[in-house]
Amino acid sequence: MTTNHQELNDKNSRLAELKVISGSSAILHFAGRHIPAAIGRSGVHADKHEGDGSTPSGLLPLRRVLYRSDRLDPPNTSLTCEPLIENDGWCDDAVHPDYNHQIRLPHPGSHERLWLENHLYDIIGILGYNDDPVIAGRGSAIFLHIAHPDMRPTDGCIALSLDDLRWVLEQGLQVIFVPN
């Protein structure tokens, strides 16, 4: 897929394009704005695997949003928006039937907690990657979430500042295109 400048600069477009600057630094082009983003510590790869630290290339539709209701009001979005609870997690165990699905903790498989002490997961946009169908070992938990204040690399997710994340959700972001 190729995008054109008119589509990316169209303030009514629901498509964003991620452009890697270098390493794990990127710019998200959306609705006429250029937004700093952090991506996976290993950059972008078409052949993503569980634990490789890369952000997958391709079209990543924004499926739904989770948020910490004890810290924030719900984001203004047309997407399904659900509050997190303390025992929410995401299964990253490639041999478990719950692989790449939201789960409740405790859980017997390897998993990531979604209820964090830091603020990185105060808002989580669930990006559609390896979810239709799920392929064991191809990668899990690719989120659009809040960046660390120093924009440090992610484990494969795309991270924006809280203000920018709220803004893209409010503007109706639906899909992120990540070129290889």
Side-chain angles (χ1 to χ4, degrees), residues 117-166:
E117 291 302 313
N118 65 36
H119 294 274
L120 302 184
Y121 284 0
D122 284 2
I123 298 176
I124 304 170
I126 308 297
L127 292 170
Y129 173 74
N130 192 29
D131 64 346
D132 188 24
V134 174
I135 299 169
R138 188 142 181 246
S140 64
I142 304 300
F143 301 143
L144 176 64
H145 66 77
I146 299 168
H148 191 275
D150 66 4
M151 296 298 278
R152 70 177 57 151
T154 70
D155 289 333
C157 296
I158 300 169
L160 309 175
S161 73
L162 174 60
D163 289 343
D164 287 337
L165 181 53
R166 283 188 171 283

Side-chain angles (χ1 to χ4, degrees), residues 45-57:
H45 293 284
D47 188 26
K48 175 156 182 57
H49 292 88
E50 187 66 46
D52 68 1
S54 68
T55 299
S57 63

Side-chain angles (χ1 to χ4, degrees), residues 66-122:
L66 305 173
Y67 71 100
R68 287 281 301 260
S69 63
D70 62 319
R71 294 180 174 169
L72 300 170
D73 290 331
N76 184 4
T77 179
S78 61
L79 297 166
T80 300
C81 192
E82 306 162 22
L84 283 166
I85 58 173
E86 286 189 55
N87 64 340
D88 277 327
W90 202 272
C91 183
D92 59 12
D93 187 336
V95 298
H96 196 281
D98 290 333
Y99 180 62
N100 201 24
H101 287 91
Q102 187 175 352
I103 55 168
R104 296 286 188 238
L105 304 177
H107 188 271
S110 174
H111 59 272
E112 178 179 4
R113 291 189 71 80
L114 300 182
W115 188 273
L116 301 179
E117 291 302 313
N118 65 36
H119 294 274
L120 302 184
Y121 284 0
D122 284 2

Side-chain angles (χ1 to χ4, degrees), residues 28 30 35 144 160 164-173:
L28 187 73
F30 180 63
I35 301 166
L144 176 64
L160 309 175
D164 287 337
L165 181 53
R166 283 188 171 283
W167 184 82
V168 299
L169 292 173
E170 186 175 293
Q171 298 306 307
L173 176 68

Side-chain angles (χ1 to χ4, degrees), residues 3-23:
T3 57
N4 63 49
H5 290 305
Q6 184 177 5
E7 184 177 8
L8 289 173
N9 290 316
D10 179 356
K11 293 188 188 304
N12 297 317
S13 176
R14 301 298 175 236
L15 169 71
E17 184 172 6
L18 190 77
K19 294 279 190 173
V20 177
I21 297 171
S22 68

